[in-house]
Amino acid sequence: MKVLLRSICLSVLSISCSSNDDNNAISYPSFGSEIDVTINGLVFDAMEPFLSPNGNYQFFNNLNDGINTKLYYANKVNDSTFNFEGELLGTNQATSPHLDAVADMDTDGIFIGHRPETILQN
């Protein structure tokens, strides 16, 4: 009797924990091969790059030393070329440390962790 009860419990538990529901499946994006990117007019290294949700802007830091680090941006020309526009005004402090973050934006074009006036419209 114990064996039968144990078998029934294990069967019910097994069925309740398994699911064939594809609606809960996690979907991951696929990525292509890496490509070299050129930022026309940039004279320093672009660090910690981030593309805006629409792909039209690339945001990046200069060397992240916690003292003179600032956030910059460039406009997209094509998939491998951007034009350097300059410092992203409103995101950098006037006194050291100037920036202690990396670019991160939500789907509405709002920088995460920054004031609303630092929005760059898509």
Side-chain angles (χ1 to χ4, degrees), residues 6-103:
R6 186 178 300 156
S7 296
I8 291 171
C9 288
L10 286 174
S11 296
V12 169
L13 183 61
S14 176
I15 291 169
S16 67
C17 291
S18 66
S19 173
N20 292 329
D21 185 9
D22 288 337
N23 292 334
N24 293 329
I26 297 174
S27 175
Y28 295 102
S30 60
F31 298 95
S33 301
E34 293 179 6
I35 59 171
D36 289 334
V37 173
T38 300
I39 303 175
N40 295 325
L42 187 65
V43 295
F44 55 87
D45 291 332
M47 307 294 288
E48 300 168 320
F50 176 82
L51 286 175
S52 64
N54 67 5
N56 290 332
Y57 302 99
Q58 184 182 70
F59 302 97
F60 50 91
N61 295 338
N62 57 333
L63 181 61
N64 194 352
D65 63 6
I67 299 169
N68 294 309
T69 306
K70 293 186 178 184
L71 189 59
Y72 298 91
Y73 76 105
N75 286 316
K76 180 180 180 178
V77 174
N78 58 44
D79 286 344
S80 63
T81 307
F82 289 79
N83 288 329
F84 179 61
E85 295 296 327
E87 183 179 337
L88 188 60
L89 299 177
T91 61
N92 303 309
Q93 300 179 47
T95 59
S96 292
H98 296 289
L99 181 72
D100 190 19
V102 295

